[in-house]
Amino acid sequence: MAIPANDNPQKTMFNYIIFVAVAIIVITQFLFTVDQTQQAIVLQFGKPVRVIQEPGLKVKVPFIQNVRFFDKRILNVDLPPARVNLSSGQRLSSGNEEAEILDTGGEPVIIDTFARVRITDPLLFYKRLDTVRNAEARIQSLMNSALRDVLGQASLQDILSPVRTQITETIRTRLNNEMEARGVEVVDVRIVRADLTDRMQSSTINRMISGRREQATDIRAKGEEKAAQIKADADRQRTVILANANKQSQIFRGEGDRIAIKTYAEAFNKDPSFYSFLRSMEAYKNVFSKGGTQFVLSPDQQFLRHMDR
């Protein structure tokens, strides 16, 4: 007896598709893939039985076991801005004018921070926190507490100086001490911004203006004092220079008179009559060169003795 041939190809194709689909479903229940950026926990009836941190194709028992995946990368946890009261009495150094201007006077400061964390132990993370959202909420709560404790002993000047690195490291250490038992490592903590309240901004600006005015007045007074000293020193030097110059001119004039007298004496001794004639000519020149001058002299006057020749 011959077996009749299957003359319905559509039915055959349908059966084949159903078989492939069932096979894929069964295979997916046996196999799963762990990505390089992930780590996983295999759960059996809700209880963890295996931790997988290496990437690749893995096997599980179908319908009995399921897999929870956790990110292996560094995660950012942004905290909402917090109002923190800083220390109003501490300074980086006494007499620091900038620190005095930046004193908050007990007013709160708005601190904006964020943290970078990483899941290092997925089993502890699953048992203590379960989800990333729960972890973020826990970190935010711990970080707010750490911020208030640590920044309560610091000034605004500390936050705006290299001391901030030490502050953030202290906060990170405190967070790690709390989160290590929950399978989370706090990689970094940063203070993004520290803003003053509106009232504190106005007060700080007014104090800065007042401080700069006092500084300008002090600089101006010192400048005027220095200018007066320079002017007084210049006047003193001028007086000394003029006195020395007058003294030197008197010395030169006396020396010139001495030489002239000596020269005249030598000339007079050589030819007294000629010397007398030259002196008379000089006297005539000085007297008669001025126009409009009239002299009434007798003819035998010695002054005109050379005029009758």
Side-chain angles (χ1 to χ4, degrees), residues 74-77 79 114-120 129 135 138-140 142-143 146 168-190:
I74 294 177
L75 307 176
N76 288 329
V77 180
L79 279 78
F114 73 90
R116 291 190 177 98
V117 300
R118 178 171 52 205
I119 301 173
T120 55
L129 297 170
R138 184 59 180 169
I139 292 172
Q140 288 178 359
L142 292 173
M143 193 161 180
T168 54
E169 184 63 25
T170 302
I171 296 173
R172 189 184 74 86
T173 302
R174 289 188 56 169
L175 290 178
N176 267 326
N177 292 337
E178 294 288 339
M179 298 303 296
E180 184 179 2
R182 296 172 173 83
V184 177
E185 177 190 4
V186 180
V187 179
D188 192 17
V189 172
R190 293 294 177 90

Side-chain angles (χ1 to χ4, degrees), residues 95-158:
N96 189 335
E97 183 180 355
E98 292 297 330
E100 195 67 33
I101 290 176
L102 293 173
D103 177 19
T104 60
E107 285 287 328
V109 176
I110 302 174
I111 304 295
D112 191 5
T113 57
F114 73 90
R116 291 190 177 98
V117 300
R118 178 171 52 205
I119 301 173
T120 55
D121 192 329
L123 182 59
L124 282 176
F125 183 85
Y126 172 75
K127 290 180 178 180
R128 302 293 299 274
L129 297 170
D130 189 32
T131 64
V132 174
R133 180 172 297 182
N134 292 338
E136 290 180 351
R138 184 59 180 169
I139 292 172
Q140 288 178 359
S141 176
L142 292 173
M143 193 161 180
N144 280 331
S145 177
L147 277 174
R148 299 181 190 281
D149 290 344
V150 176
L151 295 183
Q153 302 175 5
S155 65
L156 183 59
Q157 179 71 11
D158 294 335

Side-chain angles (χ1 to χ4, degrees), residues 8 21 25 33 53 112 136 146 181 197 202 204 242 246 276 296:
N8 192 348
I25 293 174
T33 303
Q53 293 182 308
D112 191 5
E136 290 180 351
T197 59
S202 300
T204 301
L242 289 176
N246 187 41
S276 176
V296 180

Side-chain angles (χ1 to χ4, degrees), residues 15 32 38-39 64 67 70 103 149 151 160 195 213 259 273 277 293 297:
N15 292 335
F32 64 95
Q38 294 177 326
Q39 47 194 339
I64 297 178
V67 183
F70 301 95
D103 177 19
D149 290 344
L151 295 183
L160 302 179
D195 292 334
R213 284 177 177 172
I259 296 174
S273 60
F277 174 75
T293 303
L297 300 173

Side-chain angles (χ1 to χ4, degrees), residues 23 43 69 128 184 236:
L43 303 175
F69 294 96
R128 302 293 299 274
V184 177
R236 182 186 61 80

